[in-house]
mmCIF file of all heavy atoms in Angstrom:
data_model
loop_
_atom_site.group_PDB
_atom_site.id
_atom_site.type_symbol
_atom_site.label_atom_id
_atom_site.label_comp_id
_atom_site.label_asym_id
_atom_site.label_seq_id
_atom_site.Cartn_x
_atom_site.Cartn_y
_atom_site.Cartn_z
ATOM 1 N N ARG A 195 -27.055 9.907 -28.938
ATOM 2 C CA ARG A 195 -27.832 10.729 -28.108
ATOM 3 C C ARG A 195 -28.798 9.876 -27.313
ATOM 4 O O ARG A 195 -29.183 8.769 -27.607
ATOM 5 C CB ARG A 195 -28.606 11.761 -28.773
ATOM 6 C CG ARG A 195 -29.744 11.388 -29.644
ATOM 7 C CD ARG A 195 -30.571 12.494 -30.283
ATOM 8 N NE ARG A 195 -31.785 12.069 -30.953
ATOM 9 C CZ ARG A 195 -32.972 12.007 -30.388
ATOM 10 N NH1 ARG A 195 -33.110 12.389 -29.139
ATOM 11 N NH2 ARG A 195 -34.012 11.503 -31.019
ATOM 12 N N ALA A 196 -29.131 10.488 -26.073
ATOM 13 C CA ALA A 196 -30.235 9.844 -25.332
ATOM 14 C C ALA A 196 -31.534 10.390 -25.632
ATOM 15 O O ALA A 196 -31.722 11.652 -25.654
ATOM 16 C CB ALA A 196 -29.891 10.140 -23.876
ATOM 17 N N ALA A 197 -32.474 9.539 -26.065
ATOM 18 C CA ALA A 197 -33.771 9.996 -26.433
ATOM 19 C C ALA A 197 -34.704 10.340 -25.222
ATOM 20 O O ALA A 197 -35.606 11.148 -25.424
ATOM 21 C CB ALA A 197 -34.595 8.992 -27.341
ATOM 22 N N CYS A 198 -34.472 9.699 -24.184
ATOM 23 C CA CYS A 198 -35.163 9.904 -22.911
ATOM 24 C C CYS A 198 -34.312 9.715 -21.668
ATOM 25 O O CYS A 198 -33.213 9.150 -21.828
ATOM 26 C CB CYS A 198 -36.400 8.865 -22.889
ATOM 27 S SG CYS A 198 -35.905 7.232 -22.646
ATOM 28 N N PRO A 199 -34.714 10.207 -20.529
ATOM 29 C CA PRO A 199 -33.904 10.077 -19.372
ATOM 30 C C PRO A 199 -33.456 8.623 -19.075
ATOM 31 O O PRO A 199 -32.309 8.368 -18.623
ATOM 32 C CB PRO A 199 -34.703 10.710 -18.215
ATOM 33 C CG PRO A 199 -35.595 11.753 -18.920
ATOM 34 C CD PRO A 199 -35.898 11.115 -20.294
ATOM 35 N N ASP A 200 -34.371 7.684 -19.296
ATOM 36 C CA ASP A 200 -34.047 6.240 -19.013
ATOM 37 C C ASP A 200 -32.947 5.713 -20.024
ATOM 38 O O ASP A 200 -32.320 4.649 -19.746
ATOM 39 C CB ASP A 200 -35.208 5.428 -19.228
ATOM 40 C CG ASP A 200 -35.955 5.137 -17.773
ATOM 41 O OD1 ASP A 200 -35.407 5.430 -16.778
ATOM 42 O OD2 ASP A 200 -37.165 4.616 -17.834
ATOM 43 N N ASP A 201 -32.686 6.417 -21.073
ATOM 44 C CA ASP A 201 -31.498 6.061 -21.884
ATOM 45 C C ASP A 201 -30.196 6.216 -21.218
ATOM 46 O O ASP A 201 -29.175 5.700 -21.676
ATOM 47 C CB ASP A 201 -31.511 6.770 -23.246
ATOM 48 C CG ASP A 201 -32.482 6.144 -24.193
ATOM 49 O OD1 ASP A 201 -33.093 5.143 -23.918
ATOM 50 O OD2 ASP A 201 -32.733 6.880 -25.287
ATOM 51 N N LEU A 202 -30.095 7.103 -20.235
ATOM 52 C CA LEU A 202 -28.929 7.443 -19.516
ATOM 53 C C LEU A 202 -28.599 6.306 -18.629
ATOM 54 O O LEU A 202 -29.366 5.835 -17.821
ATOM 55 C CB LEU A 202 -29.054 8.640 -18.710
ATOM 56 C CG LEU A 202 -29.354 9.932 -19.309
ATOM 57 C CD1 LEU A 202 -29.679 11.129 -18.350
ATOM 58 C CD2 LEU A 202 -28.212 10.322 -20.260
ATOM 59 N N ARG A 203 -27.438 5.560 -18.904
ATOM 60 C CA ARG A 203 -27.070 4.264 -18.171
ATOM 61 C C ARG A 203 -26.122 4.355 -17.175
ATOM 62 O O ARG A 203 -25.920 3.613 -16.334
ATOM 63 C CB ARG A 203 -26.639 3.262 -19.239
ATOM 64 C CG ARG A 203 -27.605 3.008 -20.415
ATOM 65 C CD ARG A 203 -29.064 2.722 -20.039
ATOM 66 N NE ARG A 203 -29.155 1.690 -19.149
ATOM 67 C CZ ARG A 203 -30.379 1.373 -18.490
ATOM 68 N NH1 ARG A 203 -31.398 2.224 -18.617
ATOM 69 N NH2 ARG A 203 -30.469 0.339 -17.720
ATOM 70 N N PHE A 204 -25.503 5.598 -17.021
ATOM 71 C CA PHE A 204 -24.298 5.697 -16.053
ATOM 72 C C PHE A 204 -24.401 7.199 -15.642
ATOM 73 O O PHE A 204 -24.783 8.115 -16.362
ATOM 74 C CB PHE A 204 -23.035 5.481 -16.639
ATOM 75 C CG PHE A 204 -21.791 5.827 -15.882
ATOM 76 C CD1 PHE A 204 -21.288 4.968 -14.960
ATOM 77 C CD2 PHE A 204 -21.222 7.094 -15.923
ATOM 78 C CE1 PHE A 204 -20.248 5.218 -14.105
ATOM 79 C CE2 PHE A 204 -20.158 7.491 -15.116
ATOM 80 C CZ PHE A 204 -19.608 6.516 -14.250
ATOM 81 N N ALA A 205 -24.238 7.379 -14.293
ATOM 82 C CA ALA A 205 -24.065 8.750 -13.694
ATOM 83 C C ALA A 205 -23.065 8.886 -12.725
ATOM 84 O O ALA A 205 -22.693 7.853 -12.021
ATOM 85 C CB ALA A 205 -25.480 9.180 -13.186
ATOM 86 N N TRP A 206 -22.463 10.059 -12.695
ATOM 87 C CA TRP A 206 -21.379 10.362 -11.682
ATOM 88 C C TRP A 206 -21.705 11.758 -11.195
ATOM 89 O O TRP A 206 -21.772 12.732 -11.963
ATOM 90 C CB TRP A 206 -20.034 10.224 -12.350
ATOM 91 C CG TRP A 206 -18.847 10.604 -11.478
ATOM 92 C CD1 TRP A 206 -18.428 11.836 -11.012
ATOM 93 C CD2 TRP A 206 -17.850 9.688 -11.030
ATOM 94 N NE1 TRP A 206 -17.257 11.765 -10.395
ATOM 95 C CE2 TRP A 206 -16.864 10.364 -10.310
ATOM 96 C CE3 TRP A 206 -17.669 8.348 -11.245
ATOM 97 C CZ2 TRP A 206 -15.782 9.792 -9.803
ATOM 98 C CZ3 TRP A 206 -16.534 7.662 -10.689
ATOM 99 C CH2 TRP A 206 -15.542 8.478 -10.012
ATOM 100 N N VAL A 207 -21.771 11.948 -9.919
ATOM 101 C CA VAL A 207 -21.811 13.304 -9.289
ATOM 102 C C VAL A 207 -20.761 13.430 -8.191
ATOM 103 O O VAL A 207 -20.716 12.500 -7.362
ATOM 104 C CB VAL A 207 -23.301 13.476 -8.684
ATOM 105 C CG1 VAL A 207 -23.377 14.788 -7.832
ATOM 106 C CG2 VAL A 207 -24.382 13.451 -9.695
ATOM 107 N N GLU A 208 -20.023 14.507 -8.262
ATOM 108 C CA GLU A 208 -19.023 14.695 -7.309
ATOM 109 C C GLU A 208 -18.988 16.134 -6.750
ATOM 110 O O GLU A 208 -18.979 17.123 -7.405
ATOM 111 C CB GLU A 208 -17.570 14.412 -7.991
ATOM 112 C CG GLU A 208 -16.498 14.513 -7.033
ATOM 113 C CD GLU A 208 -15.119 13.984 -7.617
ATOM 114 O OE1 GLU A 208 -15.214 13.078 -8.477
ATOM 115 O OE2 GLU A 208 -14.056 14.332 -7.194
ATOM 116 N N GLY A 209 -19.011 16.299 -5.521
ATOM 117 C CA GLY A 209 -18.932 17.563 -4.891
ATOM 118 C C GLY A 209 -17.658 18.214 -5.019
ATOM 119 O O GLY A 209 -16.566 17.508 -4.669
ATOM 120 N N LEU A 210 -17.594 19.369 -5.590
ATOM 121 C CA LEU A 210 -16.378 19.985 -5.936
ATOM 122 C C LEU A 210 -15.615 20.586 -4.696
ATOM 123 O O LEU A 210 -14.360 20.857 -4.786
ATOM 124 C CB LEU A 210 -16.511 21.086 -6.990
ATOM 125 C CG LEU A 210 -16.939 20.541 -8.337
ATOM 126 C CD1 LEU A 210 -17.369 21.670 -9.313
ATOM 127 C CD2 LEU A 210 -15.809 19.801 -8.996
ATOM 128 N N ARG A 211 -16.289 20.761 -3.611
ATOM 129 C CA ARG A 211 -15.610 21.109 -2.331
ATOM 130 C C ARG A 211 -15.528 19.936 -1.305
ATOM 131 O O ARG A 211 -14.454 19.699 -0.783
ATOM 132 C CB ARG A 211 -16.416 22.200 -1.696
ATOM 133 C CG ARG A 211 -16.293 23.586 -2.454
ATOM 134 C CD ARG A 211 -16.544 24.742 -1.408
ATOM 135 N NE ARG A 211 -16.416 26.019 -2.288
ATOM 136 C CZ ARG A 211 -17.357 26.713 -2.869
ATOM 137 N NH1 ARG A 211 -18.662 26.031 -2.728
ATOM 138 N NH2 ARG A 211 -17.216 27.728 -3.474
ATOM 139 N N SER A 212 -16.684 19.253 -1.320
ATOM 140 C CA SER A 212 -16.644 18.165 -0.226
ATOM 141 C C SER A 212 -15.819 16.883 -0.633
ATOM 142 O O SER A 212 -15.411 16.128 0.171
ATOM 143 C CB SER A 212 -18.076 17.773 0.120
ATOM 144 O OG SER A 212 -18.636 17.141 -0.945
ATOM 145 N N GLY A 213 -15.827 16.611 -2.021
ATOM 146 C CA GLY A 213 -15.306 15.377 -2.469
ATOM 147 C C GLY A 213 -16.245 14.256 -2.319
ATOM 148 O O GLY A 213 -16.020 13.107 -2.740
ATOM 149 N N ASP A 214 -17.477 14.477 -1.873
ATOM 150 C CA ASP A 214 -18.560 13.459 -1.788
ATOM 151 C C ASP A 214 -18.828 12.993 -3.252
ATOM 152 O O ASP A 214 -18.946 13.796 -4.165
ATOM 153 C CB ASP A 214 -19.812 13.979 -1.164
ATOM 154 C CG ASP A 214 -19.643 14.197 0.389
ATOM 155 O OD1 ASP A 214 -18.595 13.806 0.901
ATOM 156 O OD2 ASP A 214 -20.598 14.756 0.916
ATOM 157 N N ARG A 215 -19.103 11.716 -3.361
ATOM 158 C CA ARG A 215 -19.169 11.166 -4.804
ATOM 159 C C ARG A 215 -20.248 10.208 -4.807
ATOM 160 O O ARG A 215 -20.373 9.263 -4.002
ATOM 161 C CB ARG A 215 -17.856 10.447 -5.215
ATOM 162 C CG ARG A 215 -17.901 10.135 -6.665
ATOM 163 C CD ARG A 215 -16.606 9.337 -7.023
ATOM 164 N NE ARG A 215 -16.644 7.983 -6.375
ATOM 165 C CZ ARG A 215 -15.532 7.274 -6.289
ATOM 166 N NH1 ARG A 215 -14.412 7.701 -6.649
ATOM 167 N NH2 ARG A 215 -15.610 6.021 -5.801
ATOM 168 N N TYR A 216 -21.099 10.286 -5.849
ATOM 169 C CA TYR A 216 -22.125 9.331 -6.234
ATOM 170 C C TYR A 216 -21.843 8.697 -7.580
ATOM 171 O O TYR A 216 -21.409 9.451 -8.361
ATOM 172 C CB TYR A 216 -23.500 9.941 -6.238
ATOM 173 C CG TYR A 216 -23.973 10.566 -4.839
ATOM 174 C CD1 TYR A 216 -23.577 11.883 -4.584
ATOM 175 C CD2 TYR A 216 -24.665 9.870 -3.994
ATOM 176 C CE1 TYR A 216 -24.049 12.505 -3.442
ATOM 177 C CE2 TYR A 216 -25.103 10.437 -2.810
ATOM 178 C CZ TYR A 216 -24.809 11.794 -2.554
ATOM 179 O OH TYR A 216 -25.179 12.428 -1.415
ATOM 180 N N ARG A 217 -21.982 7.389 -7.790
ATOM 181 C CA ARG A 217 -21.864 6.842 -9.119
ATOM 182 C C ARG A 217 -22.769 5.577 -9.181
ATOM 183 O O ARG A 217 -23.122 4.955 -8.237
ATOM 184 C CB ARG A 217 -20.435 6.392 -9.308
ATOM 185 C CG ARG A 217 -19.922 5.251 -8.371
ATOM 186 C CD ARG A 217 -18.417 5.031 -8.598
ATOM 187 N NE ARG A 217 -17.994 3.931 -7.648
ATOM 188 C CZ ARG A 217 -17.834 2.624 -8.003
ATOM 189 N NH1 ARG A 217 -18.105 2.241 -9.277
ATOM 190 N NH2 ARG A 217 -17.356 1.741 -7.156
ATOM 191 N N THR A 218 -23.039 5.226 -10.405
ATOM 192 C CA THR A 218 -23.741 3.925 -10.615
ATOM 193 C C THR A 218 -22.742 2.926 -11.142
ATOM 194 O O THR A 218 -21.728 3.211 -11.837
ATOM 195 C CB THR A 218 -24.779 4.123 -11.684
ATOM 196 O OG1 THR A 218 -24.194 4.647 -12.989
ATOM 197 C CG2 THR A 218 -25.948 4.994 -11.343
ATOM 198 N N ALA A 219 -22.943 1.724 -10.749
ATOM 199 C CA ALA A 219 -22.056 0.604 -11.073
ATOM 200 C C ALA A 219 -22.808 -0.706 -10.897
ATOM 201 O O ALA A 219 -23.367 -0.815 -9.712
ATOM 202 C CB ALA A 219 -20.760 0.505 -10.343
ATOM 203 N N ALA A 220 -22.745 -1.605 -11.760
ATOM 204 C CA ALA A 220 -23.422 -2.886 -11.601
ATOM 205 C C ALA A 220 -24.886 -2.762 -11.251
ATOM 206 O O ALA A 220 -25.437 -3.431 -10.383
ATOM 207 C CB ALA A 220 -22.714 -3.795 -10.586
ATOM 208 N N ALA A 221 -25.552 -1.865 -11.940
ATOM 209 C CA ALA A 221 -27.092 -1.623 -11.697
ATOM 210 C C ALA A 221 -27.365 -1.242 -10.271
ATOM 211 O O ALA A 221 -28.444 -1.434 -9.773
ATOM 212 C CB ALA A 221 -27.781 -2.864 -12.067
ATOM 213 N N ALA A 222 -26.435 -0.533 -9.657
ATOM 214 C CA ALA A 222 -26.549 -0.081 -8.182
ATOM 215 C C ALA A 222 -26.083 1.230 -8.117
ATOM 216 O O ALA A 222 -25.314 1.782 -8.933
ATOM 217 C CB ALA A 222 -25.966 -1.022 -7.266
ATOM 218 N N THR A 223 -26.285 1.920 -6.928
ATOM 219 C CA THR A 223 -25.845 3.312 -6.713
ATOM 220 C C THR A 223 -24.941 3.174 -5.530
ATOM 221 O O THR A 223 -25.236 2.547 -4.564
ATOM 222 C CB THR A 223 -26.972 4.292 -6.389
ATOM 223 O OG1 THR A 223 -27.888 4.318 -7.542
ATOM 224 C CG2 THR A 223 -26.511 5.602 -6.115
ATOM 225 N N TRP A 224 -23.778 3.844 -5.590
ATOM 226 C CA TRP A 224 -22.776 3.825 -4.598
ATOM 227 C C TRP A 224 -22.400 5.302 -4.158
ATOM 228 O O TRP A 224 -22.342 6.184 -4.996
ATOM 229 C CB TRP A 224 -21.497 3.234 -5.205
ATOM 230 C CG TRP A 224 -21.742 1.760 -5.564
ATOM 231 C CD1 TRP A 224 -22.339 1.382 -6.802
ATOM 232 C CD2 TRP A 224 -21.566 0.582 -4.800
ATOM 233 N NE1 TRP A 224 -22.453 0.008 -6.906
ATOM 234 C CE2 TRP A 224 -22.016 -0.502 -5.652
ATOM 235 C CE3 TRP A 224 -21.030 0.340 -3.578
ATOM 236 C CZ2 TRP A 224 -21.872 -1.786 -5.181
ATOM 237 C CZ3 TRP A 224 -20.925 -0.969 -3.171
ATOM 238 C CH2 TRP A 224 -21.309 -2.054 -4.015
ATOM 239 N N PHE A 225 -22.162 5.413 -2.936
ATOM 240 C CA PHE A 225 -21.868 6.756 -2.375
ATOM 241 C C PHE A 225 -20.510 6.664 -1.580
ATOM 242 O O PHE A 225 -20.330 5.739 -0.824
ATOM 243 C CB PHE A 225 -22.909 7.237 -1.336
ATOM 244 C CG PHE A 225 -22.480 8.464 -0.514
ATOM 245 C CD1 PHE A 225 -22.417 9.678 -1.170
ATOM 246 C CD2 PHE A 225 -22.345 8.316 0.826
ATOM 247 C CE1 PHE A 225 -21.959 10.715 -0.374
ATOM 248 C CE2 PHE A 225 -22.026 9.439 1.622
ATOM 249 C CZ PHE A 225 -21.844 10.688 0.960
ATOM 250 N N ARG A 226 -19.677 7.591 -1.921
ATOM 251 C CA ARG A 226 -18.367 7.627 -1.222
ATOM 252 C C ARG A 226 -18.261 9.040 -0.492
ATOM 253 O O ARG A 226 -18.364 10.050 -1.202
ATOM 254 C CB ARG A 226 -17.213 7.461 -2.069
ATOM 255 C CG ARG A 226 -15.758 7.408 -1.324
ATOM 256 C CD ARG A 226 -14.580 7.591 -2.275
ATOM 257 N NE ARG A 226 -14.569 9.096 -2.622
ATOM 258 C CZ ARG A 226 -13.600 9.628 -3.319
ATOM 259 N NH1 ARG A 226 -12.707 8.868 -3.892
ATOM 260 N NH2 ARG A 226 -13.659 10.883 -3.676
ATOM 261 N N ALA A 227 -18.146 8.975 0.816
ATOM 262 C CA ALA A 227 -18.050 10.225 1.585
ATOM 263 C C ALA A 227 -16.555 10.763 1.465
ATOM 264 O O ALA A 227 -15.615 10.074 1.638
ATOM 265 C CB ALA A 227 -18.246 9.979 3.056
ATOM 266 N N GLY A 228 -16.590 12.065 0.955
ATOM 267 C CA GLY A 228 -15.291 12.630 0.797
ATOM 268 C C GLY A 228 -14.338 12.678 1.998
ATOM 269 O O GLY A 228 -13.107 12.488 1.907
ATOM 270 N N ARG A 229 -14.930 12.838 3.187
ATOM 271 C CA ARG A 229 -14.171 12.941 4.347
ATOM 272 C C ARG A 229 -13.406 11.707 4.757
ATOM 273 O O ARG A 229 -12.223 11.719 5.100
ATOM 274 C CB ARG A 229 -14.982 13.499 5.492
ATOM 275 C CG ARG A 229 -14.347 13.632 6.882
ATOM 276 C CD ARG A 229 -15.139 14.285 7.910
ATOM 277 N NE ARG A 229 -15.610 15.575 7.544
ATOM 278 C CZ ARG A 229 -16.378 16.316 8.334
ATOM 279 N NH1 ARG A 229 -16.860 15.866 9.488
ATOM 280 N NH2 ARG A 229 -16.649 17.583 7.843
#
């Protein structure tokens, strides 16, 4: 389990209509425009 928010090491957010996507990789944040 994650004891605190900082324990979360990876995140992925994807718009279910737009297809816009955010993700973490290599200690950075990446955005892909669905269009």
Side-chain angles (χ1 to χ4, degrees):
R195 69 180 184 92
C198 65
D200 264 348
D201 282 350
L202 301 172
R203 307 311 303 171
F204 172 88
W206 178 289
V207 173
E208 184 169 335
L210 291 168
R211 288 205 180 91
S212 68
D214 288 352
R215 185 186 73 196
Y216 300 87
R217 67 184 177 99
T218 53
T223 301
W224 301 82
F225 169 67
R226 188 196 70 178
R229 179 174 297 179

